Amino acid sequence: MPTSIELAAAANHEKQSLGGFDFHVMDKAKIQWYHLKAVVITGMGFFTDAYDLFCISLVTKLLGRIYYHQEASSKPGSLPPNVAAGVNGVALCGTLVGQLFFGWLGDKLGRKRVYGITLMLMVFSSIGSALSFGSSPKAVMATLCFFRFWLGFGIGGDYPLSATIMAEYSAKTTRGAFIAAVFAMQGFGILAGGAVTVFISHVFRKLFPAKSYSVDPVGSTPAEADYVWRIILLLGAFPAVLTYYWRLRLPETPRYTALVAKDQQKACQDISKVLNVEIQNDTKNNTIITEERNDSSFGLFSSQFLKRHGKHLLGTAAAWFFVDVAYYSQNLFQKDIFSAIGWLPAAKTMSALDELFKISRAQFLIALCGTVPGYWFTVALIDRIGRFKIQAAGFFFMTAFMFALALPYNYWTAAGNHVWFVVMYGLTFFFANFGPNATTFIVPAEIFPARFRSTCHGISAAAGKAGAIVGAFGFLYAAQSQDKAKTDAGYPAGIGMKNSLIVLGVINLFGLLFTFLVPESKGKSLEEMSRENEDQEQPNVDPCNRV
């Protein structure tokens, strides 16, 4: 841990000043306990986000069997197209709105003041989703969709707030790794969703054994199966509850306090508290700085903003849009892809709980072998390789592997070739997470001015969720067989799985192209990237009189 003398010497050696306020002490600080604690506190939100967003894809087939069974049908019940689209996509719609709203609110009221609200929304909405009530299938699904919209709304607020808080407290040489570590908790959330579903479905199928649908259509779905999906959704509330107290204890970031709230005395106190540096605030110096500040007054989307950051905002938003079209299509509908290639048995050969167990086991294996490692490769290498190279390489390999899956698709669906299809499919997840799925979250928190940082991150993230909505709704229909006789009940003919994978490959290629609009922020301070230090007079005064 650096001493106050070392920090003061470093500050004198290379001062990064903004209107007289010195952030160099934060940019050069070594890793401390606060940084690790902040990663856990902010990261647990993303653990919960991922669990809640992706566990619904595991239980949709179970919901279809429970609520939409049709007598004398040769296939198990399935959610009608509009219901399936709503259940899978309504949380993403809520997330988009939440990202825009809480991103804006985080710049207006401060990062900390609205941080606990997002968690409480997630807790109550998870509980409400699990308790979805109604006397008919339509009523149950409507209630579920209502609560999942508000669940998504709370999840949306986590994106700009968590990224901004972590960015504004981190040193410039480790900032990428810390923000990536927060986002990497999403991988553990996906993994936990699969593990929890495997465990609960296994327990229930042992307690309530049932025959396959082809043998006993009604008995293949025991009445107790209705508890299974509710328990899975309910458990998403617990990580958020456990994190709430610690979120309230997080101090506001000194950058927001000094640059936006203009309370430099409080900023000094927060730096002292977080970095364990003894600081005495000099009131006289603060007065001088307040008088000599010359804040730039250009607003969001003004000509000055667009000149400086318009290209950057287009790049971060477009890249996030394209990666989420592909990423959410693959994540939400991987069970359908596995069924299409024959890795999962035909639904009619299994009971409802057997099907749930095998779907969740497949998702768990993909998350364990492809998704989670990709996140942590980013954590380990982002401050060495840089954001641009990781994002560009990630999009390139996602494109390559998607075409490698799509073009010889008939070969992969043949008996004996499924294993290699799954391996390559897992690699698309690896390079998404050791690539644009992580970097699109990191970069918007680094390159925009403090007074717009949370808002611009929210805009970029919302563009991503618009892509996720396109993926969630579009892939559901597009991946249907071109032969109407082979489509799921209620669906029109689509373009087929092969052509859908080709489309996803083209989408990844567009993401690669827009990556070239995004600047490299490795090793640079937030003030250097946002050019805020160009808008300030530089009096030779330090408001935090280090002792």
Side-chain angles (χ1 to χ4, degrees), residues 353-369:
L353 295 177
D354 286 340
E355 184 179 33
L356 178 62
F357 175 81
K358 292 178 180 179
I359 289 172
S360 55
R361 183 179 61 182
Q363 178 161 310
F364 176 83
L365 291 174
I366 289 291
L368 180 65
C369 299

Side-chain angles (χ1 to χ4, degrees), residues 10-286:
N12 289 330
H13 177 259
E14 183 189 352
K15 187 174 182 181
Q16 176 65 46
S17 178
L18 188 68
F21 197 91
D22 186 3
F23 291 119
H24 183 82
V25 67
M26 299 181 68
D27 285 332
K28 288 294 184 180
K30 296 179 180 179
I31 297 175
Q32 301 189 38
W33 169 242
Y34 172 80
H35 293 118
L36 302 179
K37 183 172 71 172
V39 166
V40 174
I41 294 171
T42 55
M44 284 306 293
F46 274 89
F47 176 95
T48 307
D49 296 348
Y51 181 98
D52 289 333
L53 281 178
F54 293 113
C55 70
I56 194 66
S57 68
L58 298 173
V59 301
T60 50
K61 285 188 178 291
L62 180 62
L63 291 172
R65 286 195 184 226
I66 294 171
Y67 294 105
Y68 291 91
H69 170 71
Q70 295 181 0
E71 294 291 340
S73 174
S74 61
K75 295 181 180 180
S78 62
L79 296 179
N82 60 328
V83 176
V87 168
N88 280 295
V90 70
L92 300 177
C93 297
T95 303
L96 186 155
V97 177
Q99 287 165 335
L100 293 173
F101 177 73
F102 284 108
W104 169 79
L105 206 61
D107 284 333
K108 292 297 180 182
L109 301 182
R111 290 56 161 132
K112 177 188 174 180
R113 288 182 64 182
V114 294
Y115 205 27
I117 299 174
T118 62
L119 272 188
M120 283 297 96
L121 275 170
M122 290 156 63
V123 170
F124 290 123
S125 299
S126 293
I127 295 172
S129 297
L131 299 178
S132 296
F133 50 84
S135 58
S136 67
K138 184 176 180 181
V140 174
M141 293 301 107
T143 308
L144 176 61
C145 288
F146 172 81
F147 283 113
R148 283 194 62 79
F149 175 86
W150 291 107
L151 173 68
F153 188 70
I155 288 173
D158 242 28
Y159 279 73
L161 296 175
S162 293
T164 301
I165 287 171
M166 204 68 244
E168 293 184 340
Y169 261 122
S170 299
K172 62 183 181 182
T173 55
T174 56
R175 185 178 62 237
F178 280 132
I179 305 174
V182 171
F183 195 61
M185 296 298 287
Q186 189 179 78
F188 287 128
I190 296 172
L191 193 68
V196 166
T197 307
V198 165
F199 176 75
I200 293 175
S201 59
H202 177 71
V203 169
F204 270 77
R205 71 180 186 153
K206 290 298 183 184
L207 293 175
F208 310 102
K211 296 179 180 179
S212 68
Y213 182 87
S214 59
V215 175
D216 185 0
V218 176
S220 66
T221 306
E224 293 79 7
D226 194 51
Y227 294 112
V228 173
W229 70 270
R230 296 177 186 275
I231 293 171
I232 292 168
L233 298 187
L234 178 65
L235 291 176
F238 285 93
V241 170
L242 295 175
T243 312
Y244 181 71
Y245 170 76
W246 295 105
R247 278 207 176 183
L248 295 183
R249 292 179 59 85
L250 277 176
E252 182 58 85
T253 70
R255 281 182 162 93
Y256 180 86
T257 305
L259 301 178
V260 183
K262 309 289 175 57
D263 188 344
Q264 298 186 17
Q265 181 176 358
K266 182 66 167 59
C268 291
Q269 294 171 354
D270 289 341
I271 292 176
S272 176
K273 178 180 177 181
V274 169
L275 299 182
N276 293 317
V277 179
E278 185 181 355
I279 294 176
Q280 293 179 349
N281 184 253
D282 189 327
T283 305
K284 180 179 178 181
N285 282 351
N286 269 334

Side-chain angles (χ1 to χ4, degrees), residues 397-415:
F397 284 110
M398 288 172 69
T399 303
F401 281 115
M402 198 62 70
F403 284 136
L405 291 172
L407 297 178
Y409 181 76
N410 293 333
Y411 171 80
W412 297 120
T413 57

Side-chain angles (χ1 to χ4, degrees), residues 105 187 190 213 228 231 265 305 313 349 362 382 387 406-407 419 421 448 506 543:
L105 206 61
I190 296 172
Y213 182 87
V228 173
I231 293 171
Q265 181 176 358
F305 174 87
L313 186 58
T349 65
I382 191 166
R387 288 70 160 150
L407 297 178
V419 172
F421 180 97
F448 298 107
V506 173

Side-chain angles (χ1 to χ4, degrees), residues 363-401:
Q363 178 161 310
F364 176 83
L365 291 174
I366 289 291
L368 180 65
C369 299
T371 303
V372 172
Y375 282 114
W376 291 98
F377 266 71
T378 301
V379 173
L381 298 174
I382 191 166
D383 286 314
R384 298 181 183 181
I385 298 176
R387 288 70 160 150
F388 175 82
K389 289 181 180 179
I390 289 178
Q391 182 165 314
F395 269 126
F396 173 81
F397 284 110
M398 288 172 69
T399 303
F401 281 115

